[in-house]
Amino acid sequence: GDECTRINNNMDSVESFILDENLTELQVCIHLLSTGNPVQIQNAISRFPSVFKDNGSQAFQKLSSSLHAALRTFEWEDNVALAEAYILIIRAKYVSGGDAEKWLMPMMITSLSDVKDPEIVDSWLDLLVVLLPVMDQTSLDTSVVKLALAKGEVDMSVKSRVVCCRMLGALSPHLTKGVVEAKFFAKAMDLCQDTDYEVRICMCRQLVAIARAVGAETTQRRLMPELHELLADEETA
């Protein structure tokens, strides 16, 4: 009995790797995602650029249910591979900026909500950097800034506050001086004085982008004093 069960399980496993040659690339992806097999999921993700090249933004909707079901089983390397695939798709302009924002921002918010795994966070922050230039300005001013600031609350973890710093630096080149000053310049200056040296170091690395965004006068008057303090901080040296 046990031997028969083992053979049947092996047959099921083999069958999951056998694909109908008449399936389109999109249909293959949907099938591979539904298997729950880690190798097949990686295979599916590797096909995403090709699928989006052929189907454009429609691929988001067609893959949506299968992908969301598979996401629950994703290992960290699957999350990284998915973010990297979307980076290729956006850079190749296989989808519109509006559609990329609509479908990817909810996934990004979820991925950045759990900052325990640095590889996942890094890959989705890399995707955010690519996504920001094609996003609607209103969305940048509201949803993305709001997400960044939520990560930087004083009661959040050190890793979360570091994510906030990186997001503020990434956002700065894509926002007006007025928005940067009104929405998060003061927060950035507060993070320069954070109790944890990792946060202070990360915020220091974003100051060039923020300085360019706010201009010379604000930089001289408000940012330079913070920079002098940071340079005197032995832990950031």
Side-chain angles (χ1 to χ4, degrees):
D2 289 344
E3 183 65 17
C4 286
T5 301
R6 186 182 65 78
I7 291 171
N8 286 334
N9 286 341
N10 285 342
M11 288 299 293
D12 290 341
S13 178
V14 169
E15 285 176 6
S16 75
F17 283 80
I18 299 173
L19 296 170
D20 185 338
E21 61 184 22
N22 294 318
L23 294 176
T24 65
E25 191 82 339
L26 174 63
Q27 291 169 328
V28 168
C29 265
I30 292 170
H31 170 74
L32 294 175
L33 288 170
S34 69
T35 64
N37 181 290
V39 175
Q40 299 289 57
I41 287 172
Q42 284 278 336
N43 187 350
I45 294 169
S46 72
R47 296 169 182 261
F48 270 34
S50 173
V51 167
F52 277 84
K53 182 179 181 181
D54 292 342
N55 295 270
S57 294
Q58 289 185 348
F60 281 125
Q61 185 171 3
K62 292 176 179 177
L63 287 167
S64 178
S65 59
S66 300
L67 179 58
H68 279 283
L71 277 171
R72 292 192 288 270
T73 68
F74 269 28
E75 300 292 339
W76 72 265
E77 58 264 34
D78 300 321
N79 273 286
V80 171
L82 183 63
E84 289 174 348
Y86 281 135
I87 287 171
L88 290 173
I89 289 161
I90 293 169
R91 282 182 171 157
K93 299 182 179 178
Y94 294 151
V95 297
S96 69
D99 285 332
E101 176 189 342
K102 172 186 170 183
W103 290 96
L104 296 182
M105 274 309 296
M107 294 176 65
M108 188 170 300
I109 290 168
T110 301
S111 297
L112 293 177
S113 293
D114 183 4
V115 294
K116 294 189 183 87
D117 197 319
E119 288 90 354
I120 294 175
V121 171
D122 285 346
S123 62
W124 283 90
L125 284 173
D126 288 343
L127 174 58
L128 178 64
V129 169
V130 176
L131 187 58
L132 288 176
V134 300
M135 284 184 67
D136 177 72
Q137 192 69 37
T138 304
S139 297
L140 292 182
D141 293 358
T142 54
S143 59
V144 185
V145 171
K146 184 179 178 181
L147 174 63
L149 292 176
K151 296 277 163 214
E153 294 291 342
V154 291
D155 58 344
M156 299 298 280
S157 68
V158 169
K159 289 180 180 178
S160 182
R161 300 201 303 278
V162 167
V163 168
C164 170
C165 296
R166 292 179 62 183
M167 289 184 71
L168 296 183
L171 275 162
S172 294
H174 306 289
L175 297 171
T176 65
K177 172 185 176 181
V179 169
V180 172
E181 289 187 339
K183 295 286 182 71
F184 62 76
F185 185 84
K187 180 63 177 178
M189 296 303 97
D190 286 345
L191 289 165
C192 290
Q193 302 290 343
D194 194 272
T195 55
D196 191 275
Y197 77 95
E198 283 185 60
V199 179
R200 297 198 298 275
I201 290 171
C202 187
M203 196 65 249
C204 186
R205 289 174 178 158
Q206 317 308 317
L207 290 181
V208 172
I210 292 174
R212 285 177 178 152
V214 298
E217 192 273 331
T218 302
T219 296
Q220 288 290 338
R221 181 169 48 86
R222 297 179 62 188
L223 195 150
M224 289 305 291
E226 294 291 345
L227 187 57
H228 286 309
E229 269 194 61
L230 281 167
L231 289 171
D233 185 342
E234 292 180 5
E235 288 182 303
T236 62

